[in-house]
Amino acid sequence: MRIQLACLLLLFATVCSQDASVSPRYRKFIEQHISGQMSATRCDDVIRSRSITKTNSNECKETNTFIRATTNIIKSICGQAGEPYGEMTKSLQPFDIVVCTLKNQQARKPKCQYRGQARTRRIAIKCEQGFPVHFDRDIIHFDN
């Protein structure tokens, strides 16, 4: 577990150091929503280790979605790999995601317990200056 956390921190530091001008919102997006090695059974551990909670509180976040991809692939949705979707940008291709849903409502950190579900969906994100800053939703897509 310590090795995984160390690797995650190293990856996060590497991504952040690549561009010192990267916004804090993009860094928060990475921390909350990108995990290439995420699985449905790891929701509790990953959410706890990343200190993910409702904004500005100790309350457990009701739902958090992790995208199993690299930061560069996700960033490309804000460019050629995405299309407008209202005020958001929708990915052209589906992604493997893990949706973590709170099991114990009204819980507070550190007692958050989650049920994970793996899915393959297109995703809708908010982009600012070419960087993803908010995960909006996953989208069920049916080809015609």
Side-chain angles (χ1 to χ4, degrees), residues 86-117:
E87 294 182 13
M88 302 293 154
T89 302
K90 177 172 58 173
S91 65
L92 297 176
Q93 299 299 318
F95 283 86
D96 289 332
I97 62 173
V98 174
V99 179
C100 301
T101 306
L102 186 64
K103 291 193 290 188
N104 53 339
Q105 298 299 316
Q106 311 301 315
R108 299 181 73 76
K109 181 182 171 186
K111 298 184 179 186
C112 308
Q113 296 177 344
Y114 291 88
R115 178 178 302 108
Q117 184 180 27

Side-chain angles (χ1 to χ4, degrees), residues 19 24 26 37 39 50 60 64 74 79 85 98 108 113 134:
D19 186 353
Y26 176 53
Q37 303 301 314
S39 70
R50 294 184 182 195
C60 303
N64 196 76
I74 302 303
Y85 185 70
V98 174
R108 299 181 73 76
Q113 296 177 344
H134 173 73

Side-chain angles (χ1 to χ4, degrees), residues 11 26 34-36 67-76 95:
L11 174 65
Y26 176 53
I34 298 180
S35 180
I67 309 161
R68 294 176 36 98
T70 66
T71 54
N72 285 338
I73 291 173
I74 302 303
K75 186 179 169 201
S76 70
F95 283 86

